[in-house]
Amino acid sequence: MSETTQTSTADFWFDPACPWAWMTSRWMGEVEQVREVSVHWHVMSLAVLNEGRDLPESYRASMDKAWGPVRVITAARAAHGDDVVKPLYDAMGTRIHLGGRGDDHEAVIAESLEEVGLPAELAEAAGTTEHDDALRASHQRAIDLVGDQVGTPVVAVNGVAFFGPVVTPAPKGEQAGRLWDGAVLVAGTPGFYELKRSRTQGPMFD
């Protein structure tokens, strides 16, 4: 990086239970390699987002389970700082999404804490509301930027914020950089709100 090149700071909000946020986070990692962007990672919560909504019973059950991982990441951040957020997310997401263990959160949390070198007792946060105020505050910062008619992830950079992009598979290399350039460009256009088409396939995990 030359002395005249300025690195942008991007903020990325995720719920570890969301497969689409996982896909976007893998893309964001590629973006960091090909653009002058440094990412700060934050939690948001689909369970919080869907509170009070009329949901199908099966989806409501998944929302109940989604509290655990995001609470544990919030507790870990409170006790050990921002630097543990991304490694713990990576460890959980690898097991939940690549490993297909979305219904095995208790073991996923325990194994992920061990992998990252964090105390096992942090897993107790999954079943308590002790850190929910901090979780809700982080979630609300994302919603304040994009509104409550979207989900996770939310990305903010240089005064521009947007939901998504929802993409599969995650672009790599310069393709990832081009998508980043385009997303920032359209999101920064005054009056621009939405660009969408129907999904024809689910997340394609590497």
Side-chain angles (χ1 to χ4, degrees), residues 15 17 45-50 55 58-68:
D15 184 320
S45 171
L46 289 174
V48 172
L49 184 70
N50 285 288
L55 303 173
S58 60
Y59 191 66
R60 183 170 298 283
S62 69
M63 290 299 94
D64 291 342
K65 293 178 181 178
W67 281 104

Side-chain angles (χ1 to χ4, degrees), residues 23-133:
M23 297 300 302
T24 309
S25 72
R26 302 309 95 180
W27 162 73
M28 198 72 242
E30 290 286 322
V31 171
E32 286 188 287
Q33 303 304 312
V34 296
R35 294 294 184 268
E36 301 298 339
V37 178
S38 176
V39 183
H40 289 177
W41 301 86
H42 313 271
V43 293
M44 60 185 300
S45 171
L46 289 174
V48 172
L49 184 70
N50 285 288
E51 282 182 324
R53 296 183 179 180
D54 185 16
L55 303 173
E57 189 59 34
S58 60
Y59 191 66
R60 183 170 298 283
S62 69
M63 290 299 94
D64 291 342
K65 293 178 181 178
W67 281 104
V70 74
R71 280 172 167 167
V72 171
I73 292 177
T74 303
R77 168 178 247 158
H80 299 278
D82 290 350
D83 289 346
V84 304
V85 173
K86 179 58 161 47
L88 190 51
Y89 176 37
D90 289 344
M92 288 184 181
T94 297
R95 290 167 171 81
I96 292 171
H97 304 300
L98 276 67
R101 298 171 61 192
D103 293 327
D104 192 20
H105 283 179
E106 184 175 343
V108 163
I109 288 168
E111 292 171 16
S112 298
L113 289 170
E114 182 178 9
E115 177 183 323
V116 178
L118 291 171
E121 56 265 28
L122 282 170
E124 297 172 5
T128 76
T129 60
E130 179 180 356
H131 297 279
D132 282 8
D133 286 349

Side-chain angles (χ1 to χ4, degrees), residues 44 49 138-148 150-151 154:
M44 60 185 300
L49 184 70
S138 181
H139 175 90
Q140 191 60 46
R141 285 193 291 273
I143 296 302
D144 287 345
L145 293 170
V146 295
D148 61 2
V150 300
V154 169

